[in-house]
PDB file of all heavy atoms in Angstrom:
ATOM      1  N   GLY B  36       6.557   4.784   2.876  1.00 96.00           N
ATOM      2  CA  GLY B  36       6.662   3.331   2.916  1.00 96.00           C
ATOM      3  C   GLY B  36       5.806   2.634   3.953  1.00 96.00           C
ATOM      4  O   GLY B  36       5.728   1.399   3.946  1.00 96.00           O
ATOM      5  N   LEU B  41       2.387  -2.096   5.456  1.00 97.00           N
ATOM      6  CA  LEU B  41       1.138  -2.663   5.959  1.00 97.00           C
ATOM      7  C   LEU B  41       0.541  -3.623   4.924  1.00 97.00           C
ATOM      8  O   LEU B  41       0.135  -4.734   5.259  1.00 97.00           O
ATOM      9  CB  LEU B  41       0.158  -1.542   6.291  1.00 97.00           C
ATOM     10  CG  LEU B  41      -1.188  -1.997   6.838  1.00 97.00           C
ATOM     11  CD1 LEU B  41      -1.615  -1.102   7.998  1.00 97.00           C
ATOM     12  CD2 LEU B  41      -2.247  -1.947   5.754  1.00 97.00           C
ATOM     13  N   GLN B  46      -1.275  -8.692   3.022  1.00 95.00           N
ATOM     14  CA  GLN B  46      -1.915  -9.033   1.753  1.00 95.00           C
ATOM     15  C   GLN B  46      -2.201 -10.536   1.635  1.00 95.00           C
ATOM     16  O   GLN B  46      -3.213 -10.928   1.054  1.00 95.00           O
ATOM     17  CB  GLN B  46      -1.103  -8.539   0.570  1.00 95.00           C
ATOM     18  CG  GLN B  46       0.244  -9.182   0.391  1.00 95.00           C
ATOM     19  CD  GLN B  46       1.058  -8.510  -0.702  1.00 95.00           C
ATOM     20  OE1 GLN B  46       0.581  -7.600  -1.379  1.00 95.00           O
ATOM     21  NE2 GLN B  46       2.283  -8.951  -0.866  1.00 95.00           N
ATOM     22  N   LEU B  78      -8.433   3.556   8.903  1.00 95.00           N
ATOM     23  CA  LEU B  78      -7.435   3.157   9.886  1.00 95.00           C
ATOM     24  C   LEU B  78      -7.509   3.995  11.161  1.00 95.00           C
ATOM     25  O   LEU B  78      -7.186   3.512  12.240  1.00 95.00           O
ATOM     26  CB  LEU B  78      -6.026   3.222   9.284  1.00 95.00           C
ATOM     27  CG  LEU B  78      -4.918   2.580  10.113  1.00 95.00           C
ATOM     28  CD1 LEU B  78      -5.213   1.100  10.388  1.00 95.00           C
ATOM     29  CD2 LEU B  78      -3.581   2.731   9.418  1.00 95.00           C
ATOM     30  N   SER B  85      -7.747  -5.268  19.417  1.00 85.00           N
ATOM     31  CA  SER B  85      -7.351  -6.565  18.872  1.00 85.00           C
ATOM     32  C   SER B  85      -6.129  -6.336  17.988  1.00 85.00           C
ATOM     33  O   SER B  85      -5.750  -5.200  17.717  1.00 85.00           O
ATOM     34  CB  SER B  85      -8.498  -7.171  18.055  1.00 85.00           C
ATOM     35  OG  SER B  85      -8.778  -6.365  16.934  1.00 85.00           O
ATOM     36  N   LYS B  88      -3.939  -7.471  12.523  1.00 92.00           N
ATOM     37  CA  LYS B  88      -4.241  -8.590  11.626  1.00 92.00           C
ATOM     38  C   LYS B  88      -5.733  -8.931  11.679  1.00 92.00           C
ATOM     39  O   LYS B  88      -6.376  -9.121  10.656  1.00 92.00           O
ATOM     40  CB  LYS B  88      -3.391  -9.790  12.045  1.00 92.00           C
ATOM     41  CG  LYS B  88      -3.601 -11.041  11.264  1.00 92.00           C
ATOM     42  CD  LYS B  88      -2.686 -12.131  11.818  1.00 92.00           C
ATOM     43  CE  LYS B  88      -2.631 -13.331  10.928  1.00 92.00           C
ATOM     44  NZ  LYS B  88      -1.658 -14.314  11.397  1.00 92.00           N
ATOM     45  N   LEU B 103     -20.622 -11.327  -1.877  1.00 91.00           N
ATOM     46  CA  LEU B 103     -21.427 -12.535  -2.024  1.00 91.00           C
ATOM     47  C   LEU B 103     -22.920 -12.240  -1.862  1.00 91.00           C
ATOM     48  O   LEU B 103     -23.751 -12.795  -2.581  1.00 91.00           O
ATOM     49  CB  LEU B 103     -20.983 -13.597  -1.019  1.00 91.00           C
ATOM     50  CG  LEU B 103     -19.588 -14.179  -1.246  1.00 91.00           C
ATOM     51  CD1 LEU B 103     -19.232 -15.156  -0.134  1.00 91.00           C
ATOM     52  CD2 LEU B 103     -19.487 -14.858  -2.600  1.00 91.00           C
ATOM     53  N   THR B 134      -2.512 -36.040   8.310  1.00 52.00           N
ATOM     54  CA  THR B 134      -2.234 -37.456   8.086  1.00 52.00           C
ATOM     55  C   THR B 134      -2.945 -37.953   6.835  1.00 52.00           C
ATOM     56  O   THR B 134      -2.380 -38.715   6.049  1.00 52.00           O
ATOM     57  CB  THR B 134      -2.681 -38.299   9.299  1.00 52.00           C
ATOM     58  OG1 THR B 134      -2.031 -37.778  10.460  1.00 52.00           O
ATOM     59  CG2 THR B 134      -2.340 -39.751   9.129  1.00 52.00           C
ATOM     60  N   GLN B 142      -3.460 -35.301  -1.589  1.00 75.00           N
ATOM     61  CA  GLN B 142      -3.478 -33.836  -1.456  1.00 75.00           C
ATOM     62  C   GLN B 142      -4.279 -33.207  -2.586  1.00 75.00           C
ATOM     63  O   GLN B 142      -5.049 -32.269  -2.372  1.00 75.00           O
ATOM     64  CB  GLN B 142      -2.054 -33.274  -1.456  1.00 75.00           C
ATOM     65  CG  GLN B 142      -1.338 -33.485  -0.156  1.00 75.00           C
ATOM     66  CD  GLN B 142       0.045 -32.854  -0.164  1.00 75.00           C
ATOM     67  OE1 GLN B 142       0.453 -32.219  -1.126  1.00 75.00           O
ATOM     68  NE2 GLN B 142       0.766 -33.030   0.931  1.00 75.00           N
ATOM     69  N   PRO B 154     -18.676 -21.206   0.686  1.00 91.00           N
ATOM     70  CA  PRO B 154     -17.697 -20.149   0.982  1.00 91.00           C
ATOM     71  C   PRO B 154     -17.328 -20.000   2.449  1.00 91.00           C
ATOM     72  O   PRO B 154     -16.154 -19.872   2.773  1.00 91.00           O
ATOM     73  CB  PRO B 154     -18.375 -18.874   0.470  1.00 91.00           C
ATOM     74  CG  PRO B 154     -19.317 -19.338  -0.581  1.00 91.00           C
ATOM     75  CD  PRO B 154     -19.769 -20.705  -0.142  1.00 91.00           C
ATOM     76  N   THR B 161      -9.636 -22.636   5.841  1.00 87.00           N
ATOM     77  CA  THR B 161      -8.369 -22.045   5.400  1.00 87.00           C
ATOM     78  C   THR B 161      -7.722 -21.235   6.514  1.00 87.00           C
ATOM     79  O   THR B 161      -6.517 -21.353   6.754  1.00 87.00           O
ATOM     80  CB  THR B 161      -8.596 -21.142   4.172  1.00 87.00           C
ATOM     81  OG1 THR B 161      -9.134 -21.934   3.115  1.00 87.00           O
ATOM     82  CG2 THR B 161      -7.309 -20.504   3.706  1.00 87.00           C
ATOM     83  N   ILE B 184     -17.921 -21.520  14.688  1.00 95.00           N
ATOM     84  CA  ILE B 184     -16.702 -21.818  13.926  1.00 95.00           C
ATOM     85  C   ILE B 184     -16.337 -23.289  14.089  1.00 95.00           C
ATOM     86  O   ILE B 184     -16.036 -23.981  13.117  1.00 95.00           O
ATOM     87  CB  ILE B 184     -15.545 -20.895  14.370  1.00 95.00           C
ATOM     88  CG1 ILE B 184     -15.866 -19.457  13.959  1.00 95.00           C
ATOM     89  CG2 ILE B 184     -14.213 -21.354  13.789  1.00 95.00           C
ATOM     90  CD1 ILE B 184     -14.994 -18.410  14.602  1.00 95.00           C
ATOM     91  N   SER B 186     -18.319 -25.695  14.749  1.00 93.00           N
ATOM     92  CA  SER B 186     -19.321 -26.450  14.010  1.00 93.00           C
ATOM     93  C   SER B 186     -18.987 -26.490  12.519  1.00 93.00           C
ATOM     94  O   SER B 186     -19.057 -27.549  11.876  1.00 93.00           O
ATOM     95  CB  SER B 186     -20.701 -25.819  14.225  1.00 93.00           C
ATOM     96  OG  SER B 186     -21.660 -26.435  13.417  1.00 93.00           O
ATOM     97  N   SER B 191     -16.947 -29.339   7.877  1.00 90.00           N
ATOM     98  CA  SER B 191     -15.996 -29.320   6.761  1.00 90.00           C
ATOM     99  C   SER B 191     -15.133 -30.578   6.775  1.00 90.00           C
ATOM    100  O   SER B 191     -14.938 -31.213   5.735  1.00 90.00           O
ATOM    101  CB  SER B 191     -15.087 -28.091   6.846  1.00 90.00           C
ATOM    102  OG  SER B 191     -15.837 -26.913   6.749  1.00 90.00           O
ATOM    103  N   LEU B 193     -15.838 -33.407   8.092  1.00 90.00           N
ATOM    104  CA  LEU B 193     -16.704 -34.536   7.766  1.00 90.00           C
ATOM    105  C   LEU B 193     -16.876 -34.653   6.254  1.00 90.00           C
ATOM    106  O   LEU B 193     -16.726 -35.743   5.683  1.00 90.00           O
ATOM    107  CB  LEU B 193     -18.064 -34.332   8.446  1.00 90.00           C
ATOM    108  CG  LEU B 193     -18.824 -35.551   8.897  1.00 90.00           C
ATOM    109  CD1 LEU B 193     -18.029 -36.302   9.945  1.00 90.00           C
ATOM    110  CD2 LEU B 193     -20.170 -35.127   9.467  1.00 90.00           C
TER     111      LEU B 193
END
Side-chain angles (χ1 to χ4, degrees):
L41 180 138
Q46 65 187 356
L78 191 58
S85 64
K88 178 180 191 175
L103 293 176
T134 304
Q142 284 183 3
T161 300
I184 293 166
S186 174
S191 298
L193 212 62

